[in-house]
Amino acid sequence: MLRAARTLLDLKQDEAARLCHTSLKSLVAAEKGEASRAILHKLMGGYMGAGIRFDGSPDYRTQIVTLELDEAPADPQIPEI
């Protein structure tokens, strides 16, 4: 979920670490599933402050990461089929 959040914000790992006020090493560990609960909360808080919303089912089988924009883009990119 953390990697998905970073991707939605179009951030590189070092940029995301700065945004969330943590070290690059901690961010990398968290994306590998090897971080403490405190680091996870710090990262999630930073992403939520940038517009990311985390959601999912109570049993954790469904996890949803969305980016909430203040306003719709002027020229949304619609993929061609």
Side-chain angles (χ1 to χ4, degrees), residues 45-75:
Y47 290 149
M48 290 169 70
I52 293 293
R53 181 173 173 215
F54 296 96
D55 200 4
S57 62
D59 63 3
Y60 297 101
R61 289 183 182 200
T62 303
Q63 299 178 14
I64 302 165
V65 180
T66 54
L67 174 60
E68 296 181 353
L69 301 174
D70 290 333
E71 55 187 65
D75 185 22

Side-chain angles (χ1 to χ4, degrees), residues 20-65:
C20 298
H21 304 286
T22 192
S23 70
L24 178 59
K25 183 178 177 180
S26 293
L27 181 127
V28 170
E31 288 188 356
K32 289 181 180 179
E34 301 169 354
S36 69
R37 186 175 299 166
I39 293 298
L40 293 175
H41 284 216
K42 196 171 198 181
L43 291 169
M44 290 178 75
Y47 290 149
M48 290 169 70
I52 293 293
R53 181 173 173 215
F54 296 96
D55 200 4
S57 62
D59 63 3
Y60 297 101
R61 289 183 182 200
T62 303
Q63 299 178 14
I64 302 165
V65 180

Side-chain angles (χ1 to χ4, degrees), residues 76-81:
Q77 300 297 315
I78 300 171
E80 293 183 28
I81 298 176

